[in-house]
């Protein structure tokens, strides 16, 4: 019989029924011998999140938070890591000894890990990044760029006024940021000197520009369903490597598991579980 005290964790979001986070976390808990631990999904939007969190008992050790609740998650926490503050949002709430919650943004790890392991980026490869879109994933991306040695970031968006939060996240990370209106931007010229491209917008918006975008040495396309995307196909045709949102999901989960359990994440086990759950559509490299 297991001597591990029962513990609970879960992912909050709306919609959340297709989340792959339970696959990752439950595989990790099993590998770590935490037989009394369980992780599941809860349909909770941003308005309901504060009330849901208040109802949780002491058996709850951690929460993963997906859209649309990441900004609210930062607000309900008693403590927050510097990077969560820099991003202005939290995807991770871990229980404090006082019973309150500590907010973090392991989405930053997700972006950095995906660009390094799947995208092949190495420090010294360049100083400039281009990000298509300015939502929550874009904010996490710019917060991680400093760790990669990037200095300049160009945000390309439909409406520059909506990019203010992500631009501020880039400035808090110490980056020089320029915001461009999509309709007025020559993407081929803009990306010609970029070391990294992060795409957070739907495939249809990117499809007319994939030949130019695929020329960037390191590409992260956060869209992975349906796969492959037009951008991924264009990168692959050049015999280059492309990082994906599935790689991001994997790498952000490592930090969550470690914060929830206090133990090293069993990375290979988690990777293999995610591969199996997604029909082995991507290799999901760890190095």
């Amino acid at each position: 019989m297991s001597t591990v005290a029962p513990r609970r964790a879960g992912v909050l979001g709306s919609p959340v029924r297709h989340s792959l986070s339970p696959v990752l976390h439950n595989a990790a808990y099993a590998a770590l011998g935490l037989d009394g631990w369980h992780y599941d999904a809860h349909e909770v939007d941003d308005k309901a999140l504060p009330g849901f969190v208040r109802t949780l008992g002491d058996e709850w050790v951690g929460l993963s938070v997906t859209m649309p609740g990441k900004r609210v998650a930062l607000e309900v926490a008693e403590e927050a890591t510097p990077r969560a503050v820099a991003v202005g949002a939290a995807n991770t709430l871990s229980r404090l000894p006082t019973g309150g919650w500590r907010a973090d943004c392991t989405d930053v790890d997700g972006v950095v890990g995906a660009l390094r392991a799947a995208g092949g980026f190495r420090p010294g490869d360049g100083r400039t990044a281009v990000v298509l879109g300015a939502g929550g994933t874009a904010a996490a991306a710019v917060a991680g760029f400093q760790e990669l040695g990037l200095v300049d970031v160009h945000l390309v968006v439909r409406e520059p006024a909506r990019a203010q939060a992500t631009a501020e996240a880039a400035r808090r990370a110490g980056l020089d940021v320029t915001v461009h209106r999509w309709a007025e931007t020559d993407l081929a010229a803009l990306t010609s000197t970029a070391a990294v491209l992060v795409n957070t917008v739907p495939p249809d918006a990117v499809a007319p520009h994939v030949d130019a975008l695929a020329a960037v040495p390191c590409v992260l396309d956060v869209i992975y369903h349906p796969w492959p995307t037009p951008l991924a196909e264009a990168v692959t045709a050049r015999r280059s490597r492309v990082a994906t949102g599935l790689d991001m999901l994997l790498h952000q989960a490592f930090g969550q598991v470690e914060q929830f359990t206090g133990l090293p994440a069993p990375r290979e086990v988690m990777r293999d579980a995610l591969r199996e759950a997604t029909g082995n559509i991507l290799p999901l490299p760890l190095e």
Side-chain angles (χ1 to χ4, degrees), residues 154-205:
H154 297 267
L155 303 177
V156 185
V157 296
R158 297 293 185 187
E159 178 48 62
R162 297 179 180 176
Q164 182 176 354
T166 299
E168 286 301 318
R171 295 186 185 101
R172 285 193 292 268
L175 303 178
D176 292 327
V177 57
T178 306
V179 180
H180 305 262
R181 188 184 300 274
W182 187 295
E184 300 170 356
T185 300
D186 182 340
L187 289 177
L190 183 64
T191 58
S192 63
T193 58
V196 170
L197 171 74
V198 176
N199 173 49
T200 70
V201 303
D204 289 347

Side-chain angles (χ1 to χ4, degrees), residues 26-74:
N26 286 319
Y29 302 161
L32 293 169
L34 302 175
D35 299 334
W37 288 52
H38 182 68
Y39 181 108
D40 52 10
H42 299 265
E43 187 77 15
V44 178
D45 64 15
D46 52 338
K47 295 180 178 60
L49 188 146
F52 182 90
V53 171
R54 283 195 298 269
T55 68
L56 301 180
D58 292 341
E59 74 276 15
W60 285 82
V61 296
L63 297 167
S64 309
V65 183
T66 187
M67 295 303 292
K70 293 184 180 183
R71 295 194 184 279
V72 177
L74 183 60

